[in-house]
Amino acid sequence: MPNDQSPPKPVQARRLNCLLTVRQAVRLTPNMIRVTFTSPELAELSPDCAGGHCKIMLPDPGQSAEEFSNGYGDGKKPVTRTYTIRHARPEACELDIDFVAHGDEGPASAWAEYAKPGDVLGFAGPGSPKLTAQDADFYLIAADMSALPVAAASLEALPKEARGVAIFEITTEADRQIIDAPEGIDQHWLIHRNPHQSSNAQVARIEGLDFPKGRICTMIAGETGVVRSLRVFLRGEKALSRRDVYASGYWRIGLAEDAHQKVKREETEADEAAIARTSGER
Ligand SMILES: Cc1cc2nc3c(=O)[nH]c(=O)nc-3n(C[C@H](O)[C@H](O)[C@H](O)COP(=O)(O)OP(=O)(O)OC[C@H]3O[C@@H](n4cnc5c(N)ncnc54)[C@H](O)[C@@H]3O)c2cc1C
């Protein structure tokens, strides 16, 4: 029977709400852009907030840094998107965010594509890191390109003796990144060339795993269709406890973030209700 304890309440880090200025933007891999931001307020971040999410507020296309800065905080609602703090360097008043370059149809992706030193955006965060258990017997990590930042930060924060499997799905072989993960984490890199088409490769790989006995904790994020299939498998068939399963849809094929966020919570609750019903019938 799954243990239906809800995930533990995250520890609330000090939250900032400020304007960030681009220090540099580099093409990390063919489909990933790393933007380094600076602001005096970043001195207040904790260095271990890497892996926590944040909200970014984007200038309108063509709006100058000055116009946006003047309007920011005046009640006008700019386009807002959710990202992950990949690294925080409070001593240098800097943080990095890695943006998937998925084309011009998304305002955030388009913004990152043309980001240059001196550009600005609004920032609210950080949220709490997603994988906080330090004592699991086995860790299962699954991430597509959008969740590489949270997966990498989570793996880098694990104890050196941690064991487990990480299954990444990236767009090209050259999108592979070097992650300073514990040696006992077996890394697999799958290629899926067209992220706009659904992929079953991560699900198939995870369903085929030999699950060890003991406490298993997960950090799973990416395209919502894949994440939902994995949640149902891990919570239902494998009966992992809810508090040990982080499985979160980060985007959805064909939907912009606002529309995705509206349906995401309802779908998660519907999946959990179905899992509870099925496990009660067994
Ligand atoms: C907690 C959390 C943390 C996240 N962290 C990161 C992060 O660190 N880096 C990151 O890149 N993303 C991250 N994401 C995902 C990001 O919020 C979405 O990809 C978001 O939709 C991007 O906004 P946009 O303006 O570029 O596109 P939107 O306007 O939201 O969408 C426009 C179109 O682009 C498509 N699309 C959106 N994302 C992708 C994608 N990754 N690949 C292919 N097509 C896509 C949509 O299906 C839609 O058709 C995170 C999401 C969450 C919930």
Side-chain angles (χ1 to χ4, degrees):
M1 269 269 285
N3 167 354
D4 277 329
Q5 270 182 302
S6 294
K9 284 245 179 319
V11 182
Q12 197 57 53
R14 165 144 165 61
R15 285 178 67 81
L16 303 177
N17 196 330
C18 60
L19 200 69
L20 300 183
T21 303
V22 174
R23 181 158 274 170
Q24 68 166 13
V26 295
R27 185 67 65 161
L28 197 61
T29 68
N31 294 289
M32 190 74 95
I33 298 163
R34 173 162 296 167
V35 183
T36 299
F37 296 93
T38 181
S39 158
E41 299 187 53
L42 296 180
E44 293 177 48
L45 282 180
S46 157
D48 54 17
C49 71
H53 67 276
C54 60
K55 296 285 177 188
I56 58 168
M57 280 62 86
L58 299 161
D60 293 334
Q63 191 178 25
S64 72
E66 197 184 4
E67 284 166 345
F68 181 71
S69 314
N70 289 338
Y72 183 65
D74 274 3
K76 182 177 167 279
K77 286 221 165 100
V79 171
T80 300
R81 294 288 184 260
T82 311
Y83 279 79
T84 301
I85 297 174
R86 176 63 184 92
H87 302 109
R89 293 179 293 278
E91 71 291 351
C93 295
E94 284 183 356
L95 63 77
D96 297 331
I97 297 180
D98 292 353
F99 292 77
V100 177
H102 62 85
D104 275 358
E105 86 280 28
S109 170
W111 180 90
E113 200 64 65
Y114 301 105
K116 57 183 186 320
D119 287 353
V120 294
L121 49 65
F123 170 89
S128 45
K130 309 304 174 199
L131 185 61
T132 49
Q134 294 282 301
D135 56 351
D137 298 295
F138 190 82
Y139 293 91
L140 173 60
I141 315 291
D144 70 3
M145 295 277 304
S146 72
L148 265 187
V150 67
S154 302
L155 284 164
E156 286 167 5
L158 283 178
K160 285 295 163 217
E161 64 280 7
R163 289 176 49 251
V165 174
I167 298 177
F168 302 106
E169 190 168 84
I170 51 177
T171 314
T172 68
E173 182 60 41
D175 285 306
R176 194 171 167 151
Q177 296 185 16
I178 294 169
I179 298 174
D180 185 17
E183 273 179 20
I185 304 285
D186 209 4
Q187 295 185 38
H188 301 265
W189 294 82
L190 311 175
I191 310 295
H192 178 53
R193 294 196 185 282
N194 183 357
H196 301 286
Q197 277 176 6
S198 61
S199 159
N200 194 42
Q202 282 179 301
V203 177
R205 192 61 82 95
I206 289 170
E207 285 181 352
L209 284 178
D210 229 351
F211 280 73
K213 286 203 167 44
R215 182 176 179 205
I216 300 175
C217 289
T218 80
M219 204 308 305
I220 292 169
E223 202 281 319
T224 290
V226 174
V227 171
R228 287 185 77 188
S229 302
L230 288 173
R231 183 188 304 117
V232 169
F233 173 68
L234 295 166
R235 292 269 303 111
E237 204 156 311
K238 290 292 169 189
L240 299 193
S241 104
R242 190 168 182 178
R243 68 192 291 271
D244 288 342
V245 173
Y246 176 82
S248 181
Y250 273 18
W251 66 284
R252 189 180 190 132
I253 293 172
L255 282 191
E257 178 170 330
D258 320 66
H260 174 226
Q261 292 291 351
K262 275 194 192 126
V263 291
K264 181 174 145 172
R265 189 180 295 266
E266 282 167 25
E267 286 178 349
T268 304
E269 289 314 315
D271 289 347
E272 285 294 341
I275 290 161
R277 267 199 312 279
T278 316
S279 60
E281 285 160 12
R282 274 192 209 132

